[in-house]
C-alpha cells in the first residue's frame, strides 16, 4: 500500500525552510521536508503551499481544523479517520 505513496513523516528540524522538497530515507520511503505535527510546522506548510504541491498524497496532522487552510475550492482535500474500538482499547491497557 505505501510502496508507491508519497507520505509525510514528522520531520522535526530547526532549519529555515525556503521551499518544499521531496526527500528519501534509507529504505526508499519518500516524504516532504515539513513537519505537520506542530502548529508552527503546519503554518510553514501553509505558507509554502503544501496543499497544492504536486506529488503529495497524504498529509498527517493532529491539527485537523488548522490543516483546512492548506486547501481551497480548486485544491480540495479529503479527510479520513482511523480509530480503534474503545472497548478493545480499554482492555489492552
Amino acid at each position: 500500500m505505501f510502496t508507491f505513496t508519497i507520505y509525510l513523516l514528522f520531520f522535526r528540524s530547526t532549519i529555515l525552510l525556503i521551499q518544499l522538497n521531496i526527500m528519501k530515507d534509507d529504505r526508499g520511503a519518500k516524504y516532504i521536508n515539513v513537519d505537520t505535527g506542530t502548529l508552527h510546522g503546519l503554518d510553514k506548510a501553509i505558507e509554502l503551499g503544501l496543499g497544492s504541491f504536486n506529488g503529495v498524497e497524504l498529509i498527517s496532522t493532529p491539527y485537523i481544523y488548522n490543516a483546512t487552510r492548506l486547501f481551497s475550492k480548486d485544491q480540495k482535500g479529503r479527510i479520513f479517520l482511523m480509530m480503534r474500538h474503545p472497548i478493545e482499547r480499554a482492555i489492552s491497557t
Side-chain angles (χ1 to χ4, degrees):
M1 179 177 162
F2 291 106
T3 307
F4 301 105
T5 303
I6 295 174
Y7 58 96
L8 298 179
L9 297 177
F10 294 128
F11 182 73
R12 303 202 187 283
S13 176
T14 56
I15 299 171
L16 178 64
L17 291 176
I18 297 171
Q19 65 181 19
L20 295 173
N21 291 310
I22 298 176
M23 312 297 283
K24 192 182 265 191
D25 70 4
D26 297 338
R27 297 174 296 158
K30 297 177 183 178
Y31 62 93
I32 304 294
N33 63 332
V34 68
D35 179 10
T36 57
T38 65
L39 286 172
H40 176 71
L42 189 58
D43 288 339
K44 192 66 173 175
I46 292 165
E47 177 185 325
L48 294 173
L50 179 64
S52 60
F53 190 74
N54 289 331
V56 175
E57 295 178 0
L58 176 70
I59 298 173
S60 174
T61 183
Y63 304 105
I64 297 169
Y65 296 110
N66 299 63
T68 59
R69 296 183 304 151
L70 282 168
F71 307 104
S72 65
K73 286 184 178 183
D74 299 325
Q75 196 69 31
K76 296 180 182 180
R78 293 185 181 149
I79 187 170
F80 67 92
L81 175 66
M82 294 176 62
M83 291 181 62
R84 189 170 178 187
H85 193 282
I87 301 297
E88 289 178 10
R89 184 174 176 210
I91 291 172
S92 71
T93 57

